[in-house]
Amino acid sequence: MDTVRYIIDDSEQAVFKVHRSVFVKPEILEQERSKIFDRCWLYVGHVSEVRNPGDFRTRVVGGRPVIFTKGADGEIRVFLNSCTHRGTLVCREREGNAKTFRCFYHAWSFNNCGELIAVPGEDAYGPNFDKGHLALREVPRLAHYKGFYLLNFDAHAESLTHYLAGAKEYLDIIVDQSPTGELEIIQGTQEYDIAANWKLLAENSFDDYHVAPTHITYFEYLKDSGVNVAIPKGLLMPRHGLGKALGNGHAVIDNQTYRGRPIAYWMPMYGEEAREEIAQIRAELVSRLGEERAYRAADTNRNLLIFPNLVINDGSSVTVRTFFPLTERRMRVTAWAIGPVGESATARARRLDSFLTFYGPGGFATPDDVEALEVLQQGIATWKEVEWSDLSRGMTKPIEEQLNTDEPHLRAFWRRWNELMQTD
Ligand code: FES
Ligand SMILES: [Fe+2]
């Protein structure tokens, strides 16, 4: 790749292209691991997942196994899930509540604050053996924004607040949907692999150009249910813009609702009985937030990408989705539903139904996207002959004429990616 540029970005000529080698070359992934995943803030979990002291979740973040946990001292930490003795995973459960983590290999035990508290046959070690220096290692940086915890493997990274830039406003809108400001991850996790490069899902998450053709089954279903589906064709939304760059590679597709967000529009699939409650939820938003903000919370939806790999789909339900490359041609996706603490059982049921039947790996939307991405990955095996992908839609238009099918936000992702890949 030394002689080939990754992107061509020429505003004057309205040309924006991405070189397809970035989706297929293992050495590109190697560079991404050190220049992106070792330097950017990466989502690890939500405060609601570790409510009680001892609660833990094990995850793989940025290629490292980690333990996201709350200690007996009430502090939330992320440990590298690696025994300080020889390196074994000290915790092999997906989640639970534990006072101690006992390594199964030689049985060293650590408390949930990370301290090494027991070593079988400790007297066999010499005088320099110091348990105090053998605590579980914490990730270099951990911070949260309104309960969303992100970690950074770069000790010198900028602060999370600074890093999030314009994405904070969109996280605020999601948090505002809870009358108490509190959200919770709802039990149950979706996890699946896609045989495609991870960056293709970043693009796909907020690419509205594909929506009408790829998701035709869903629109036909809506039509059959008597829903007006005329809106998605190049909808202008001047009040809040459409595809928007939010700084640092973060971006959002921000749309008028057309796909049946429960708190904005009653749709036939929610059942007649949902009408009243949805109206009440909206009325509460108006009285608490005012008309303008309630309109944004309830009547618009958004797919937010926090660079590089956290997507929040705030639509007919709210999903938190992250994905990591396993290889240059395969990614692992993990998704959770999130909702207001204390919402009614019926609202929660509608939320989970949407999480499953729309956003889920067997739902209306995701199988189409998985198919699209895998077929794309197969097609770009031709990258040596057909070298460039085009991302220039809307490049010549002034911002007030942009449509949701234009691509300024996709270009923002790629510009940031390219900038990081040029660093040493
Ligand atoms: S590797 Fe953990 S106790 Fe030996
Ligand atoms: Fe899609």
Side-chain angles (χ1 to χ4, degrees):
M1 199 63 202
D2 299 334
T3 53
V4 182
R5 280 185 291 168
Y6 299 139
I7 67 173
I8 297 174
D9 182 2
D10 182 342
S11 322
E12 252 164 54
Q13 303 295 320
V15 172
F16 196 103
K17 291 181 190 295
V18 173
H19 198 266
R20 293 178 179 179
S21 60
V22 307
F23 302 112
V24 294
K25 284 187 137 187
E27 56 268 39
I28 298 281
L29 176 58
E30 276 316 301
Q31 287 187 44
E32 288 174 338
R33 289 195 193 283
S34 57
K35 295 180 177 184
I36 294 177
F37 292 102
D38 287 359
R39 290 186 183 174
C40 292
W41 285 93
L42 305 173
Y43 181 72
V44 60
H46 188 259
V47 63
S48 61
E49 296 179 283
V50 287
R51 266 201 193 106
N52 303 307
D55 284 354
F56 69 85
R57 311 274 171 156
T58 57
R59 300 207 157 133
V60 177
V61 178
R64 283 84 147 176
V66 298
I67 311 172
F68 175 50
T69 187
K70 184 186 259 188
D73 58 359
E75 194 174 321
I76 292 175
R77 298 179 177 87
V78 174
F79 297 116
L80 294 160
N81 190 359
S82 179
C83 182
T84 51
H85 182 218
R86 300 273 181 79
T88 311
L89 297 177
V90 292
C91 181
R92 294 181 299 153
E93 308 291 326
R94 297 292 295 259
E95 60 182 80
N97 184 282
K99 286 200 172 66
T100 57
F101 300 108
R102 182 173 178 268
C103 179
F104 96 115
Y105 199 15
H106 311 91
W108 285 22
S109 292
F110 304 84
N111 67 20
N112 57 24
C113 300
E115 295 160 322
L116 176 60
I117 50 168
V119 172
E122 194 183 335
D123 51 5
Y125 289 99
N128 293 327
F129 183 82
D130 180 0
K131 291 216 295 288
H133 286 118
L134 290 163
L136 288 176
R137 286 283 290 279
E138 288 182 51
V139 293
R141 300 282 295 280
L142 179 68
H144 77 96
Y145 184 76
K146 301 198 171 178
F148 294 90
Y149 276 80
L150 288 88
L151 61 75
N152 201 309
F153 292 110
D154 178 1
H156 306 293
E158 63 181 318
S159 73
L160 175 63
T161 319
H162 195 261
Y163 177 85
L164 287 174
K168 291 194 288 286
E169 183 199 348
Y170 285 84
L171 290 169
D172 292 345
I173 295 173
I174 294 163
V175 174
D176 272 355
Q177 292 166 28
S178 169
T180 62
E182 265 191 284
L183 295 171
E184 62 186 350
I185 294 283
I186 302 159
Q187 269 298 3
T189 306
Q190 294 170 354
E191 192 174 277
Y192 50 97
D193 288 5
I194 305 177
N197 184 274
W198 69 276
K199 297 184 290 301
L200 294 174
L201 184 57
E203 278 187 358
N204 169 268
S205 295
F206 53 19
D207 168 9
D208 265 17
Y209 189 32
H210 83 279
V211 171
T214 301
H215 299 296
I216 183 75
T217 322
Y218 180 64
F219 291 112
E220 276 169 2
Y221 162 77
L222 289 183
K223 210 153 76 189
D224 291 348
S225 312
V227 176
N228 176 13
V229 292
I231 310 167
K233 284 190 184 170
L235 155 78
L236 267 173
M237 207 184 75
R239 287 178 75 182
H240 296 295
L242 293 151
K244 272 200 285 195
L246 302 172
N248 282 341
H250 318 312
V252 68
I253 184 91
D254 190 355
N255 274 335
Q256 196 105 29
T257 289
Y258 56 80
R259 63 170 179 242
R261 182 187 179 81
I263 59 175
Y265 289 87
W266 173 85
M267 302 263 293
M269 63 268 229
Y270 301 131
E272 191 60 36
E273 67 284 359
R275 249 182 219 281
E276 202 185 310
E277 185 176 20
I278 288 169
Q280 282 167 6
I281 291 170
R282 199 184 187 291
E284 190 280 329
L285 287 170
V286 172
S287 71
R288 181 163 47 87
L289 306 173
E291 267 298 345
E292 175 73 8
R293 196 148 177 90
Y295 162 79
R296 291 196 71 188
D299 301 355
T300 69
N301 67 62
R302 64 222 108 242
N303 291 350
L304 171 68
L305 176 98
I306 294 177
F307 189 93
N309 66 338
L310 169 62
V311 169
I312 301 188
N313 293 315
D314 181 15
S316 50
S317 62
V318 187
T319 71
V320 178
R321 177 193 278 178
T322 183
F323 43 95
F324 287 98
L326 299 174
T327 72
E328 69 284 0
R329 290 152 211 256
R330 191 172 191 84
M331 74 183 105
R332 168 119 344 136
V333 186
T334 312
W336 301 268
I338 193 167
V341 170
E343 71 182 341
S344 74
T346 43
R348 181 57 61 92
R350 281 195 296 276
R351 179 179 300 283
L352 285 177
D353 186 70
S354 159
F355 178 58
L356 184 69
T357 64
F358 187 78
Y359 293 110
F364 263 119
T366 298
D368 298 337
D369 292 312
V370 170
E371 176 73 6
L373 269 43
E374 293 192 343
V375 167
L376 195 167
Q377 188 74 38
Q378 289 166 35
I380 57 176
T382 61
W383 68 275
K384 287 181 184 162
E385 292 76 30
V386 192
E387 289 183 68
W388 296 95
S389 287
D390 183 282
L391 287 112
S392 65
R393 283 183 68 84
M395 221 168 156
T396 53
K397 289 184 192 169
I399 196 77
E400 60 280 4
E401 286 172 27
Q402 297 278 326
L403 302 175
N404 60 336
T405 49
D406 290 329
E407 296 169 335
H409 51 309
L410 278 82
R411 291 189 286 275
F413 171 86
W414 280 109
R415 285 183 184 123
R416 180 63 178 156
W417 178 88
N418 189 50
E419 189 185 347
L420 290 171
M421 291 293 277
Q422 306 306 322
T423 57
D424 290 326

